[in-house]
Amino acid sequence: MKKKFTYIFAGLAVVLGMSACVKDLDVTPIDPNLVLLDDPSFLFNKCYANLALAGNGGANGDCDIDGLDGGTTGFIRQLWNSNELTTDEAVCGWGDEGISSFVFNSYDASHPMLRGYYYRLYAGITYCNHYLEVASEHDATMTAEIRFLRALHYYLAMDAFGNIPFTTTVSSDLAEQYTRDKVFAFLEEELKDIEKDLSEPRVKKDTEPGYGRVDKAAAWLLLARMYLNAKVYTGSERWSDAATYAKKVMDSPYDLNRSGNGGYSAYQLLFMADNGETSATTEAIFPILQDGLTTTSWGTTLFLIASTTNDEIITGTSEGWAGNRARRDLLLKFFPQGDAPNVDKDEMVVRAGDDRAIFWGIGRTLDVEDVSTFTNGFSVAKFNNLRSDGGSAHDSQFVDTDFFLLRAAEAWLTYAEATARANGGTVTAEGVKAINDLRSRANASTKNSYTLDEILDEWSREFYFEGRRRVDLVRYGYFGGNNNYNWQWKGGNYSGTSFEEYRNIFAIPTTDLTANEKLSQNDGYNK
């Protein structure tokens, strides 16, 4: 699939217009000379491609979302911006419209990047609905995979935007607005129902059929994530269910990658150009595939590499945009005394005593006094386009590095946190072991006990800059609202200040409210 994506997409003439996406989730082509094709293989691949590419033409082709560009609507890019720049992990001083309101937690219903993220998710839902309408009888496993992808898109929309428009058909009728708990109930039933038809979990490399496609473990891990955050979404705790489904992943063939290669640590292999070919695939439950020649994008892993580095750091791509970097608060997770050294990334992990501390400190300041200055804040060198075998990537600009959207380590931390919360906040012996498994893999010191706040720190150390931090802070009650958890520039104040709790979710874009009279704005944004 990875090597054939671009050629398959070229045969799929689907153009999604702004009015279609916003008003009724229809996929009627804007150009009357184009027709929707019903070939199951084309439609199937397009549903996956929505997560990796902006459109059929790759990085420099037309975007699927009319009126927006590929960077603005790139799935990983906007998942990342909304869940990282709003938190204690990342900061950026670019002048692009919407960046500063992410960084200072002042976003509203007209935010252009949130609008792009919203439409990208609903484009994906529309593609999945179309496949299920015309090809659901073609192959039971393929149908289950598309139902999973639709569930994933709806989960992310519900998590980000709260009460959302919902439909399982492609229709000119205006979509009804579902509450979060109603979406949750649909997703729970859907993921459990498709389990029987999904493939059995099996670790695969990108040279094998099926790499990049979801299986039962993906459904289990998404259910575990939903249950871990169930109190946020529905008001009811589901800790035991979260632990149960996390354990199913832990007991599957997927595992933590525990083997390094070519002088790179086991953790570093997860974020390199050949991560689809090495032992890193042990952890890759759902990789978003990238290839520097055939699947090019400004909004996927190239964004994660280029936006966080400049020409000082060798990354395997000619792109270095000098934008996103770590807030001081992220470095404190590895250097709690605030003594992070001004050294390169290789020396940094040695000083931290943790293979995950992949930061560049040369010429950088720990404090971000000036948000617009790239050297204020340590650079994150976690992602790169280098091969662990010393070979060359496919292209000097676009990257081969797959993005592991769902990886097994999430099950380990989910299990530790869920069992602790079910146990009144005390981490169980099994939970301690799960945390120590992660820390041992990173050659970090281990302990015999952990607190819930220490688990939150471990979420950050393991998954920083992977596009999930806002979700964890909201679950802990440390994001919006009056709490004692601050970070630099939180709420637009250098020392950090609380911002409104309603900002735990984002606003439904004004353009969608205007187009669909059945939608109401999320509380707080209509003041």
Side-chain angles (χ1 to χ4, degrees):
M1 264 171 64
K2 182 174 181 181
K3 304 302 185 289
K4 297 179 180 178
F5 267 166
T6 299
Y7 307 107
I8 291 173
F9 298 157
L12 179 60
V14 176
V15 178
L16 188 68
M18 181 70 74
S19 61
C21 180
V22 176
K23 185 174 182 181
D24 52 34
L25 304 182
D26 196 357
V27 289
T28 302
I30 297 171
D31 186 342
N33 295 315
L34 297 177
V35 295
L36 290 171
L37 301 182
D38 291 342
D39 185 295
S41 63
F42 291 169
L43 299 177
F44 179 79
N45 284 309
K46 186 63 179 181
C47 293
Y48 274 98
N50 184 63
L51 301 174
L53 303 173
N56 294 348
N60 297 316
D62 290 338
C63 178
D64 283 341
I65 314 297
D66 187 48
L68 296 175
D69 62 45
T72 303
T73 67
F75 167 69
I76 296 300
R77 186 167 184 162
Q78 298 313 335
L79 172 76
W80 191 94
N81 281 335
S82 59
N83 287 308
E84 294 290 348
L85 288 179
T86 56
T87 74
D88 57 350
E89 290 190 348
V91 68
C92 184
W94 285 340
D96 306 48
E97 185 183 0
I99 291 291
S100 64
S101 57
F102 272 144
V103 171
F104 301 140
N105 309 104
S106 59
Y107 34 82
D108 58 22
S110 62
H111 196 284
M113 294 182 181
L114 286 172
R115 186 169 68 247
Y117 182 40
Y118 181 91
Y119 294 150
R120 175 60 58 185
L121 291 174
Y122 275 97
I125 290 166
T126 301
Y127 296 143
C128 292
N129 282 341
H130 181 60
Y131 177 93
L132 294 171
E133 285 191 351
V134 303
S136 62
E137 302 300 318
H138 173 69
D139 180 273
T141 300
M142 291 170 66
T143 294
E145 290 180 45
I146 299 306
R147 289 173 67 186
F148 172 87
L149 293 179
R150 182 177 63 181
L152 175 66
H153 283 77
Y154 265 130
Y155 165 75
L156 293 170
M158 176 267 287
D159 172 77
F161 298 101
N163 304 325
I164 56 173
F166 184 90
T167 181
T168 57
T169 63
V170 179
S171 169
S172 60
D173 296 334
L174 298 176
E176 298 288 341
Q177 188 168 23
Y178 272 30
T179 59
R180 262 181 158 182
D181 57 345
K182 193 171 182 179
V183 177
F184 185 100
F186 169 85
L187 296 176
E188 181 180 19
E189 182 178 355
E190 184 81 343
L191 291 169
K192 288 182 176 180
D193 188 56
I194 64 175
E195 180 182 343
K196 64 183 182 302
D197 292 323
L198 288 169
S199 300
E200 292 297 323
R202 182 175 72 85
V203 176
K204 302 171 287 292
K205 291 182 167 38
D206 73 356
T207 55
E208 303 173 50
Y211 177 75
R213 293 173 61 175
V214 297
D215 57 29
K216 285 180 170 64
W220 297 337
L221 192 55
L222 184 53
L223 278 166
R225 184 184 295 189
M226 286 174 49
Y227 289 136
L228 188 66
N229 294 283
K231 187 173 183 180
V232 174
Y233 303 142
T234 71
S236 300
E237 298 172 350
R238 301 286 294 274
W239 309 126
S240 178
D241 290 327
T244 295
Y245 277 89
K247 191 64 164 60
K248 288 169 76 72
V249 176
M250 295 169 72
D251 291 339
S252 78
Y254 293 104
D255 195 1
L256 303 179
N257 177 42
R258 304 170 195 264
S259 301
N261 185 53
Y264 295 97
S265 69
Y267 184 77
Q268 181 66 81
L269 289 188
L270 301 173
F271 312 103
M272 300 185 69
D274 56 352
N275 59 352
E277 305 169 37
T278 67
S279 60
T281 59
T282 301
E283 201 159 329
I285 292 175
F286 186 18
I288 305 301
L289 308 187
Q290 294 288 278
D291 185 291
L293 295 178
T294 60
T295 54
T296 61
S297 171
W298 299 111
T300 310
T301 323
L302 176 60
F303 166 74
L304 299 175
I305 297 170
S307 71
T308 56
T309 58
N310 57 12
D311 57 10
E312 295 175 79
I313 306 170
I314 298 173
T315 62
T317 171
S318 58
E319 299 290 318
W321 306 340
N324 298 312
R325 66 269 191 200
R327 298 199 197 216
R328 178 181 189 271
D329 310 85
L330 174 54
L331 269 295
L332 292 179
K333 303 296 188 298
F334 295 94
F335 297 94
Q337 303 306 313
D339 55 351
N342 297 108
V343 297
D344 66 21
K345 59 184 178 59
D346 296 322
E347 180 63 20
M348 191 72 70
V349 299
V350 175
R351 300 283 193 94
D354 193 319
D355 291 345
R356 300 169 296 185
I358 311 172
F359 304 101
W360 182 278
I362 297 176
R364 308 295 195 265
T365 62
L366 185 61
D367 290 296
V368 182
E369 295 183 358
D370 182 1
V371 172
S372 65
T373 301
F374 180 65
T375 53
N376 270 210
F378 279 34
S379 290
V380 173
K382 180 173 181 173
F383 298 90
N384 65 64
N385 192 40
L386 303 172
R387 292 182 60 90
S388 62
D389 61 7
S392 299
H394 295 164
D395 187 73
S396 61
Q397 181 184 32
F398 293 104
V399 306
D400 300 333
T401 311
D402 297 336
F403 179 76
F404 292 175
L405 182 63
L406 296 175
R407 64 181 179 92
E410 180 177 346
W412 268 249
L413 280 176
T414 297
Y415 185 78
E417 182 184 335
T419 52
R421 291 187 181 275
N423 194 39
T426 301
V427 182
T428 65
E430 295 82 1
V432 169
K433 181 182 183 305
I435 297 170
N436 285 340
D437 282 349
L438 289 169
R439 293 187 60 81
S440 295
R441 186 264 291 276
N443 290 306
S445 61
T446 59
K447 302 198 307 180
N448 294 324
S449 64
Y450 295 92
T451 66
L452 281 172
D453 277 352
E454 286 176 321
I455 294 178
L456 178 62
D457 288 345
E458 203 63 35
W459 276 113
S460 186
R461 281 187 283 266
E462 181 67 28
F463 284 98
Y464 70 92
F465 272 49
E466 293 185 51
R468 64 163 295 136
R469 184 59 173 172
R470 179 189 63 87
V471 180
D472 296 326
L473 290 178
V474 169
R475 183 174 67 256
Y476 270 76
Y478 290 166
F479 195 64
N482 293 321
N483 55 61
N484 294 320
Y485 192 90
N486 281 330
W487 57 83
Q488 281 189 354
W489 296 111
K490 179 183 181 182
N493 182 283
Y494 173 70
S495 299
T497 189
S498 296
F499 57 87
E500 302 91 338
E501 187 173 5
Y502 70 77
R503 296 187 188 278
N504 281 352
I505 56 176
F506 302 115
I508 302 294
T510 300
T511 44
D512 213 16
L513 290 172
T514 302
N516 187 347
E517 62 188 18
K518 293 185 176 183
L519 302 182
S520 298
Q521 185 56 275
N522 291 321
D523 290 344
Y525 290 105
N526 50 9
K527 294 179 181 179

